[in-house]
Amino acid sequence: MTELARATLPFLTFLENLRAPWLEKVFLVLTRFGSEMAMIAVVVLLLWCVDKRRGYYALFVCLFGTVISQVLKMLCMIPRPWMLDPEKVHPAQGALSDARDYSFPSGHAQNAVGLYGAVAATSRRKGVRVACVCLMVLVPLSRMVLGVHTPLDIAFGAFMSALLLALFWFWYRSGDDRSTSILLGAGAVFCFAAVLFVSVYRWGDAADQTLLEEGRSNLWAMAGAMSGLWIAHEVDRRHTHYPTQAVWYGQIVKLVVGMALIFGLRTVLKPILGTSGPMTALRYFLMIGLVTTFWPMTFSSLSKLGKKGEK
């Protein structure tokens, strides 16, 4: 696999020769649409302001894909392109903050195809579908233009998300909301099983412990986030039943305040809890679980905004 990845490096060299300063800035912006925070923002938008089922569809594809991707990264242990050949590939400095683990497969490609593919597949608006398809192409392309992923990484990440989109499509079309709780619970178990697996697996001497630790941390984060989302779903299913509809400025309040709370907890909890695996899981459990459980309890009031004026 490593040799196959190395064989694709001339294509990255070709793209690097086309990487003008202005083009690099454009792709640095585009690549953010495949990040963890972009995934959280889009899923939260769908869950809170559009349609809960569509939100869970995108969530399942992205989170299951992320866990599979992280495990494969650690098992295959394929270095980043510039580590394979420092003379052929020179990554954009602005993209290195999101390239701190192993290379194969691409998490950004997996996120972009899974997230925006789910939105495109469930939207009736042509403009939304076109924008999503563009992001499904441009985000993976940005990872190669910026020199942080090989075509092999991109192709497998996109292929994996395409399979998950097809797999969870049967759940989405079924219309059975009772299975959502089962899938969320199974997802949390799957995340913790992945953490256990990579914790007891015997790595070879060639393994980079720093990169492995980054992968473990990502899996702990997914385990905490999925557990928090399962709790939030159960509270909503049994008690809250929050509405997704509201006047346009009510929707903005939902999203902006909710994301501010998530970002705020993320910033505050990290220095308090630390960065060990279990504490990372707890941090994401609190960050995602608390906000997605309690903030939607205000949505009934927000949904009434503007109705008095209409009368």
Side-chain angles (χ1 to χ4, degrees):
M1 289 284 286
T2 300
E3 290 306 313
L4 182 58
R6 187 175 280 112
T8 66
L9 294 184
F11 181 66
L12 296 188
T13 303
F14 168 74
L15 291 178
E16 185 179 330
N17 291 333
L18 302 176
R19 198 168 73 203
W22 68 270
L23 189 61
E24 180 177 312
K25 292 179 181 178
V26 170
F27 279 105
L28 282 172
V29 173
L30 285 170
T31 202
R32 300 300 176 194
F33 285 90
S35 67
E36 172 192 284
M37 282 297 109
M39 180 187 75
I40 292 174
V42 174
V43 168
V44 162
L45 173 65
L46 291 172
L47 286 173
W48 290 350
C49 304
V50 181
D51 179 77
K52 295 177 188 179
R53 193 164 188 81
R54 290 177 65 185
Y56 283 118
Y57 178 45
L59 173 70
F60 290 144
V61 172
C62 288
L63 282 184
F64 276 87
T66 297
V67 174
I68 295 171
S69 174
Q70 289 298 323
V71 172
L72 287 175
K73 281 175 181 283
M74 299 168 74
L75 289 177
C76 297
M77 293 191 294
I78 298 178
R80 293 282 174 169
W82 67 90
M83 297 178 183
L84 292 173
D85 194 333
E87 294 184 2
K88 286 185 178 179
V89 182
H90 305 90
Q93 292 299 308
L96 294 180
S97 61
D98 289 333
R100 295 175 297 182
D101 52 4
Y102 284 110
S103 191
F104 174 88
S106 168
H108 276 68
Q110 167 256 313
N111 264 349
V113 174
L115 179 64
Y116 303 112
V119 176
T122 57
S123 178
R124 297 180 180 179
R125 298 184 179 183
K126 183 178 179 180
V128 172
R129 295 198 301 270
V130 170
C132 286
V133 170
C134 288
L135 288 173
M136 290 168 68
V137 173
L138 291 174
V139 173
L141 177 61
S142 73
R143 304 306 285 169
M144 293 186 289
V145 171
L146 297 172
V148 293
H149 275 297
T150 68
L152 179 66
D153 305 335
I154 298 300
F156 193 88
F159 175 71
M160 181 173 59
S161 278
L163 286 179
L164 289 170
L165 282 167
L167 176 64
F168 284 109
W169 179 253
F170 295 104
W171 165 83
Y172 177 77
R173 294 288 292 176
S174 71
D176 181 11
D177 286 330
R178 292 174 298 177
S179 61
T180 305
S181 294
I182 297 173
L183 279 173
L184 283 168
V189 172
F190 181 62
C191 291
F192 280 109
V195 170
L196 178 62
F197 171 75
V198 299
S199 298
V200 302
Y201 184 82
R202 294 189 176 182
W203 307 97
D205 294 336
D208 187 314
Q209 294 302 315
T210 301
L211 298 181
L212 290 178
E213 189 55 39
E214 181 70 20
R216 291 191 188 99
S217 178
N218 291 336
L219 288 174
W220 277 111
M222 292 300 101
M226 186 67 98
S227 301
L229 287 165
W230 179 73
I231 295 295
H233 176 266
E234 288 303 294
V235 171
D236 178 57
R237 185 173 69 88
R238 297 170 185 271
H239 304 290
T240 310
H241 308 295
Y242 69 80
T244 57
Q245 301 303 312
V247 70
W248 65 269
Y249 51 85
Q251 301 286 45
I252 292 175
V253 170
K254 284 185 192 179
L255 188 61
V256 172
V257 175
M259 289 303 297
L261 290 170
I262 291 173
F263 275 104
L265 281 174
R266 187 189 191 204
T267 302
V268 170
L269 291 175
K270 189 171 184 177
I272 295 174
L273 298 178
T275 57
S276 67
M279 289 299 101
T280 296
L282 178 60
R283 176 159 50 93
Y284 272 77
F285 174 78
L286 294 173
M287 180 180 89
I288 300 296
L290 287 178
V291 177
T292 56
T293 297
F294 293 106
W295 176 235
M297 292 179 180
T298 67
F299 291 178
S300 293
S301 297
L302 289 172
S303 68
K304 297 175 183 177
L305 292 176
K307 290 186 177 180
K308 186 176 180 179
E310 291 175 3
K311 295 179 181 179

